[in-house]
Amino acid sequence: MIIIDKLVKNFSNRNGETPIGVVIHIAEGTAEQVASTFRNEEKSSHYLICRTGEIWRFVPEDLAAWSQGIKMNPSAQIVLDRPNANPNSYLISIEHEGINDITELQYNVSAQLLYDICSRRKIPLDRTHVIRHNEINKGKLCPAKISVEKLIEIAKSFEPKPPEKAPSWFRSFLLSLVSFLNN
């Protein structure tokens, strides 16, 4: 996974908060429009998943991107549990290039990034900790038709699989062989 830095000045400190969740957004425009907006307006996101499959980073994860906007009738438990905190201070944002939905390539790249963030930061890969932007602000349609459930499902496929146990007949054979060789 290659991440291209396109760092912007629109960020703040996390005020002692640690990221505990991820917010999924849709850009409602092209990658270049997003980059221009983040350079010229008081908005930003940590990452953008481009239609080409590139990942652009605008704000390092240890800083707060200006992506969540205002809280309005939030429904995400992670936000409801912190009524006096700014969601930017404890959430990581992933933006997606597009208007209404994203491509399969974007789903796969985004899920890979989501898995990486969650595994590094020990964030559970579930719907409590991976939320839609409109679960912070009910007035938003963002992230449109992006399925957060699908992103999580694909991300979980990157989890290492536990080693398979050898069949009992094979374990018995190996024990017999070791016993034979030791005599």
Side-chain angles (χ1 to χ4, degrees):
M1 180 172 57
I2 298 172
I3 297 173
I4 300 165
D5 280 329
K6 295 194 177 256
L7 302 176
V8 296
K9 62 182 179 189
N10 302 325
F11 60 84
S12 48
N13 290 322
R14 288 194 177 274
N15 298 320
E17 294 273 1
T18 301
I20 59 167
V22 179
V23 183
I24 304 301
H25 297 264
I26 193 152
E28 298 178 6
T30 67
E32 287 305 325
Q33 287 170 327
V34 171
S36 177
T37 296
F38 291 170
R39 281 191 306 269
N40 298 305
E41 296 179 28
E42 291 188 352
K43 297 177 180 178
S44 63
S45 191
H46 291 95
Y47 298 100
L48 172 69
I49 309 300
C50 301
R51 286 198 172 275
T52 62
E54 289 183 333
I55 302 172
W56 293 359
R57 178 178 26 224
F58 295 101
V59 176
E61 290 177 17
D62 59 333
L63 298 168
W66 299 346
S67 53
Q68 304 346 317
I70 61 168
K71 288 190 281 188
M72 186 171 84
N73 299 321
S75 58
Q77 194 61 50
I78 202 168
V79 177
L80 294 171
D81 288 345
R82 290 166 181 71
N84 299 318
N86 180 338
N88 290 328
S89 68
Y90 58 86
L91 296 169
I92 293 172
S93 51
I94 302 177
E95 195 82 47
H96 296 82
E97 178 183 15
I99 299 295
N100 203 26
D101 206 353
I102 59 175
T103 66
E104 287 303 310
L105 174 62
Q106 284 176 292
Y107 268 108
N108 287 315
V109 171
S110 185
Q112 191 174 10
L113 177 63
L114 180 61
Y115 173 75
D116 178 65
I117 291 167
C118 290
S119 62
R120 277 187 293 103
R121 298 214 167 255
K122 311 264 187 281
I123 296 171
L125 202 45
D126 60 29
R127 278 295 277 120
T128 300
H129 297 88
V130 181
I131 64 173
R132 300 169 56 85
H133 185 204
N134 63 7
E135 292 175 300
I136 296 171
N137 181 339
K138 281 294 180 212
K140 296 282 186 179
L141 298 176
C142 180
K145 293 183 178 180
I146 296 175
S147 171
V148 173
E149 293 79 5
K150 180 176 178 177
L151 280 173
I152 292 170
E153 181 182 325
I154 297 169
K156 285 183 175 184
S157 74
F158 295 111
E159 292 176 337
K161 306 293 182 245
E164 288 189 30
K165 216 175 183 183
S168 60
W169 66 266
F170 186 71
R171 288 192 308 260
S172 296
F173 168 75
L174 286 178
L175 289 173
S176 297
L177 181 61
V178 168
S179 176
F180 174 76
L181 293 173
N182 285 336
N183 290 333

